[in-house]
Amino acid sequence: MITNKTLKLSLKSLREFAKKRLPDEQLIELDARDECPLEVVRHMCSPDKLGIQLLFIPGEFGGMGGGAFDVYCVCEEMARIDLGVATAVLATFLGSDPITVGATPEQKKIWLTRIAEEGLLFAYGATEPEAGSDLGALRTTAERVTEDGKVVGYKITGNKQWISNGGVADAYTILANTPGGPSWFIVEKDAKGFTHDEPEDKHGIRLSNTAALALDNVCVEADRLVGGVEGQGLNQAQAVFGYTRLMVAAFGLGAGWAALDRAIPYSTKRIQAGAPLSEKQGYTHKLIVPHVARLEAARAFIEETAERIDAGEGSLNTEGAIAKYMATEAGNLAADAGIQALGGYGYTHEYMVEKIKRDVRITTIYEGTSEIMEMTISRDRWQMHLKTHGQHFHEQAQQCEALHASHPSAGADMAALAFHALADVMEKARVARLTRHQHILLRLGELISYAECSGCLARRAARKDENKLNEKANQRFDAAALAALSRIFAREAALKVAEEGLRWVIGAGGVSDADVPAFEASLGLPAIHRAQSGQIADMDFVADVLYGRAAKRAELAA
Ligand SMILES: Cc1cc2nc3c(=O)[nH]c(=O)nc-3n(C[C@H](O)[C@H](O)[C@H](O)COP(=O)(O)OP(=O)(O)OC[C@H]3O[C@@H](n4cnc5c(N)ncnc54)[C@H](O)[C@@H]3O)c2cc1C
């Protein structure tokens, strides 16, 4: 495990390195030239320089053995610098994941040690032209090569699409169909028959090299089959989804904050109608504060999931999906608001927010699209709803009610309203068999994510109040500010769950006209409407905190 001190030192070196080697002008130029700064990426991954990859390699193979929480912190920091460069580093994390979870001890020793000691860059080759979200449609094949009846190697043939580091990696993990099922193989860059295309001309993350790969009867020895047993590929990929989705969640979070952290100082200097924009409530309460609340709700979920993964609770795929979904959607919206917040300047290259917006767009697509996340989340929680006879989310609500009793300002009462409404929407959907409509299933995924994040942010606010946050946790907001953010988000979540839940249930024919009033009442809509009281005051307070004027305001009030 990495100590907090070591983590903070690594983050500091990363920031200092970026300031020197990747200042804004350099980033703008590389983006315009559509160029991956390979030397910078190698510097970041080189053991005698920044050595970021050492963080996720276990100590026994020469790494630092960082956990999910450490990786989240580093990913957020990298995303704040540049998402393209962050993606190049992520590709080595991803590419080595099948090895970390599924390889034989000998394979781990060879490859993980090489990543640690030589700074080997990896790429992760899963996606194909015809197999994106549905990896089951995989067409790349790995044919057995036998000698005297023994498998001595494989011949791999197929095409891979959109592979990060595709044109620059030293080694690749490639998913291919063997006679025993999908399996990962390690292929080195100079293998005969292995080629890559020119880099794609992309909307964003233009500092990341993305290329298609072609494998034409590429021969590998049998020891390149990860784990040594065929057919384990999809399980090995699944085993790390919680963890890898958390990394992309941290990307969305970091990029969203990067945009807001440009908009906030800008608005203190930009004078319109006689005063700085930061003084205008119609500006801060639309373009800044709600985005901060959504990003911090996602952060709460990321941090809690990372702690649980580090505590050995398993791969937490659904929680990883919720974290990714919420953080990347929030990051996108925040970056878009960042452009609006800078007006015409925001629309130009020079002010960077438009680049951040283009870059962050990928995070709702790669490592599982938002729609696939909605499906994953909804299916899993649907099972919980059924198994508990509809009580799962009522129980979550009760836990929030108990939390509210001990921490009355943490927003847990409003999160409880969201959970109760969610349980009722899901029960109505069960009785009327509404999840036969895929749209309803996916919308439930969104509502579940909002409700769960509201509960999680309330827990985070309460922990902060007790001074019990993880020592590595982000400390940007004090307890009062976190509680206000939690209330802001929970009000939004409760309203969204109840009103959109009502809309979709009625929309799918789940209640008759006559039963609508009773359903509205069961969702607790009047209470949810009353709970909106105080929203503007909380937003005023958060704006004051963000602009460093909360203390002054309190002084004046006293
Ligand atoms: C810049 C970049 C870098 C990437 N890096 C890598 C990498 O390093 N390694 C790698 O293996 N892959 C990588 N990818 C691939 C990425 O993971 C896929 O693009 C992604 O999984 C989506 O697959 P697809 O593009 O085929 O879209 P599709 O799966 O065709 O999806 C298209 C749209 O349909 C929706 N959709 C799909 N299935 C369903 C369904 N069943 N129901 C409802 N809606 C559905 C999707 O949500 C999406 O909106 C990268 C992609 C990009 C663009």
Side-chain angles (χ1 to χ4, degrees), residues 87 90-91 94-95 122-135 160-166 173 175 184 200 202-205 208-211 361-362 364-375 379 438 442:
T87 298
L90 172 86
L94 290 182
F122 255 80
Y124 176 82
T127 305
E128 299 187 358
E130 309 297 329
S133 300
D134 177 17
L135 275 184
K160 296 288 172 185
Q161 185 80 5
W162 319 122
I163 306 305
S164 303
N165 284 356
T173 32
L175 188 64
W184 288 100
E200 303 287 349
K202 305 189 295 295
H203 172 67
I205 58 164
S208 161
N209 173 293
T210 315
R361 193 67 191 78
I362 188 60
T364 66
I365 298 174
Y366 66 15
E367 269 306 284
T369 65
S370 281
E371 294 69 39
I372 298 301
M373 296 303 100
E374 288 170 348
M375 201 182 319
R379 280 186 177 153
Q438 195 205 25
L442 269 60

Side-chain angles (χ1 to χ4, degrees), residues 3 28 46 67 162 190 283 299 337 458 516:
T3 64
I28 291 167
S46 147
W162 319 122
D190 44 15
Y283 177 95
R299 180 194 300 288
V516 168

Side-chain angles (χ1 to χ4, degrees), residues 199-236:
E200 303 287 349
D201 182 4
K202 305 189 295 295
H203 172 67
I205 58 164
R206 289 165 71 83
L207 277 72
S208 161
N209 173 293
T210 315
L213 311 177
L215 297 101
D216 181 11
N217 279 309
V218 173
C219 288
V220 294
E221 306 215 341
D223 68 357
R224 297 302 175 88
L225 166 65
V226 173
V229 180
E230 294 177 1
Q232 304 300 306
L234 295 184
N235 288 344
Q236 288 160 352

Side-chain angles (χ1 to χ4, degrees), residues 60 65 107 116 165 200 245 258 271 277 320 361 418 439 450 549:
E60 59 194 299
Q107 288 172 328
N165 284 356
E200 303 287 349
R245 285 172 180 163
I271 312 291
L277 292 172
R361 193 67 191 78
H439 186 56
Y450 267 78
R549 55 195 185 210

